[in-house]
Amino acid sequence: MESLKKYFLFDERKTNLRTEILAGVTTFLSMVYIVIVNPSVFSAGGVNFGGVYIATIIAAVTGTLIMGVAANYPIAIAPGLGINAYLVYTVIISMGVSWQQAFGAAAIASGIFIVLSMTSFREMFINSIPETLKKSIAAGIGLFIALIGFRNGHVVMPSEATMVSFGSFSDQVFILTMIGLVITMLLMVLNVNGAVFLGMILIAIVAKILGWWELPNEFFSMPTGFNETFMQLEIGDVSLLAPVIFTLLLVTLFDTTGTMLGIGRQAGLIKDGQFPNLKSALLADSVASFVGAFFGTSPTSAYVESGTGVSAGGRTGFASVVTAALFIAMLFFQPLAAAISSLPSVTAPALILTGCFMCANIATINWNDYSEAFPAFLTLVLIPFTYSITTGIGIGILSYVILKLCTGKFNDVHPLLILMAVLFAAQLSM
């Protein structure tokens, strides 16, 4: 016990074992929904649910343990929402890339990510992207995720007359989604820990009561499907997948770093602008992404839900160790997770409300400066409207560089951003 306290700096960070365990459990409950949502998203791209379920847990455990043991931070890692939707709906479905090659692209991006995490180039790369674009990209991805949630939940339906239309109350999926959305929003407004996951369970219960869903024959079993995705990745045409690799790299780079900095500040671990053990923290995410690609899932990200654990008092990496242990236990709940995910209305509210969270920062964009506002707006709307994160980011960066250079605001444009604009222009013109 004493060695545990000493290793994780309990006394220095003014915490104790009970508090750290509570924090780890709180973080787990807040983000465990990903073990249902992530495999469900990849199922739409033809990837085996069981394989992605196992890969999701392995990636989460790998990143969260490294974050806890090596970096000593109460921050949890898991496959990110948004980047998984990009791989499925843009890369696999729209571009026609096989899911094996999509995971191959993720492995390449993660490998580059590992190298960058050990150098100062990662920080320079992140700093080259203006805050306006970072915020609008995050919000655009949020709208993209929400659109997928609305579509899966039959809240938004295709229409020949108006392109899209509102769902129908004669549709069971629509009714369940709306009930689930209200339940989950209420739980969140009431600050209930694990609101998203609890909302999923309650939606399933409502569906059972209404006779629209049957309980599985078994809730627990040894995990299956491992061989369906493990080491199935393929390295396809790198020139064709270059935009995909670049987008994966770009999004994961500043998404994870931003979240880590935010949680670190919340926990009071960043002092005088210094982030202790930063390389270990960055490696936690990049290594988890690399491992995840080989097991069969999308790149990982630091989860903002870790903030719930910090709010519960978590200050050390032991909270992350507890979270990782609970994820390991989820391996044996695969039958229940698969049964719950078979209801589109279960995962739809989680996707929709995640989109809401990701839009929060657009309030701080300077909408009065048109050289900032126009690129932000284009990025924000084109990601969901074109169903492509790559296109939205590309147009946003291009418009930002053009407007800034043409108005003489050269100091606002980093040389790396100009290079990105050239690359995106070449890719978009192909």
Side-chain angles (χ1 to χ4, degrees):
M1 179 62 185
E2 285 301 319
S3 59
L4 191 72
K5 289 172 60 178
K6 186 175 181 181
Y7 181 85
F8 287 104
L9 307 177
F10 279 12
D11 293 337
E12 183 179 321
R13 296 187 183 180
K14 299 177 181 178
T15 186
N16 56 62
L17 183 62
R18 181 181 177 280
T19 300
E20 293 302 304
I21 291 174
L22 175 63
V25 172
T26 302
T27 295
F28 171 76
L29 290 175
S30 298
M31 61 179 289
V32 66
Y33 65 85
I34 193 61
V35 302
I36 297 175
V37 176
N38 194 48
S40 178
V41 169
F42 274 102
S43 293
V47 192
N48 180 269
F49 180 94
V52 181
Y53 181 84
I54 295 170
T56 300
I57 293 174
I58 289 174
V61 170
T62 300
T64 305
L65 275 181
I66 295 174
M67 183 68 76
V69 176
N72 199 18
Y73 284 112
I75 300 173
I77 302 287
L81 275 177
I83 206 66
N84 59 358
Y86 167 70
L87 278 178
V88 172
Y89 292 96
T90 300
V91 179
I92 297 173
I93 296 176
S94 297
M95 293 176 59
V97 174
S98 70
W99 60 264
Q100 292 91 341
Q101 291 185 0
F103 288 143
I108 294 173
S110 301
I112 298 172
F113 197 12
I114 291 174
V115 174
L116 293 180
S117 296
M118 295 186 289
T119 68
S120 59
F121 184 79
R122 173 173 180 166
E123 185 177 353
M124 183 174 67
F125 188 88
I126 294 168
N127 291 337
S128 71
I129 302 172
E131 287 298 314
T132 292
L133 290 182
K134 290 177 185 175
K135 294 170 183 176
S136 58
I137 289 170
I141 293 173
L143 292 178
F144 180 52
I145 296 171
L147 178 59
I148 292 169
F150 281 127
R151 179 67 184 87
N152 291 350
H154 294 191
V155 178
V156 172
M157 299 292 287
S159 169
E160 290 185 7
T162 59
M163 291 198 296
V164 292
S165 62
F166 193 55
S168 169
F169 281 94
S170 63
D171 183 346
Q172 292 180 359
V173 174
F174 170 81
I175 294 171
L176 273 180
T177 300
M178 296 305 291
I179 292 173
L181 195 55
V182 171
I183 289 173
T184 309
M185 287 191 297
L186 279 173
L187 291 172
M188 288 186 171
V189 169
L190 294 172
N191 294 318
V192 176
N193 286 332
V196 174
F197 182 64
L198 182 57
M200 288 179 171
I201 300 299
L202 291 176
I203 298 166
I205 292 173
V206 170
K208 172 61 179 174
I209 292 172
L210 294 174
W212 295 346
W213 179 67
E214 292 297 325
L215 287 170
N217 294 326
E218 57 181 0
F219 285 8
F220 318 103
S221 74
M222 293 298 292
T224 61
F226 176 77
N227 292 333
E228 296 292 331
T229 56
F230 177 61
M231 292 295 289
Q232 297 297 313
L233 76 173
E234 297 176 2
I235 306 300
D237 185 345
V238 177
S239 61
L240 173 66
L241 294 176
V244 176
I245 296 169
F246 183 69
T247 299
L248 291 172
L249 188 62
L250 183 66
V251 174
T252 52
L253 268 173
F254 65 77
D255 179 36
T256 293
T257 306
T259 301
M260 275 197 262
L261 290 173
I263 300 299
R265 290 191 188 97
Q266 181 186 352
L269 303 178
I270 298 178
K271 298 176 181 178
D272 301 322
Q274 297 299 311
F275 199 122
N277 301 325
L278 178 59
K279 281 190 177 180
S280 296
L282 296 178
L283 278 172
D285 184 35
S286 53
V287 171
S289 294
F290 192 70
V291 169
F294 280 88
F295 279 88
T297 189
S298 52
T300 58
S301 176
Y303 264 59
V304 70
E305 284 86 350
S306 303
T308 62
V310 171
S311 296
R315 293 295 180 271
T316 76
F318 190 75
S320 295
V321 173
V322 172
T323 301
L326 292 171
F327 267 113
I328 293 173
M330 287 302 296
L331 278 171
F332 306 100
F333 286 82
Q334 185 178 329
L336 180 61
I340 292 176
S341 73
S342 67
L343 284 168
S345 305
V346 166
T347 55
L351 294 169
I352 294 166
L353 295 178
T354 297
C356 174
F357 303 146
M358 295 180 72
C359 287
N361 284 333
I362 60 173
T364 58
I365 293 175
N366 184 4
W367 295 103
N368 294 318
D369 182 347
Y370 293 153
S371 67
E372 299 276 333
F374 290 153
F377 174 75
L378 289 174
T379 303
L380 184 68
V381 298
L382 285 178
I383 288 176
F385 285 177
T386 63
Y387 233 59
S388 171
I389 295 175
T390 304
T391 300
I393 293 176
I395 296 297
I397 289 178
L398 271 169
S399 58
Y400 187 92
V401 170
I402 290 171
L403 290 176
K404 290 294 185 180
L405 293 182
C406 289
T407 54
K409 299 178 180 180
F410 305 111
N411 292 334
D412 290 348
V413 185
H414 195 283
L416 266 179
L417 195 66
I418 297 175
L419 175 61
M420 286 184 227
V422 171
L423 292 174
F424 271 119
Q427 185 264 323
L428 291 170
S429 64
M430 292 175 63

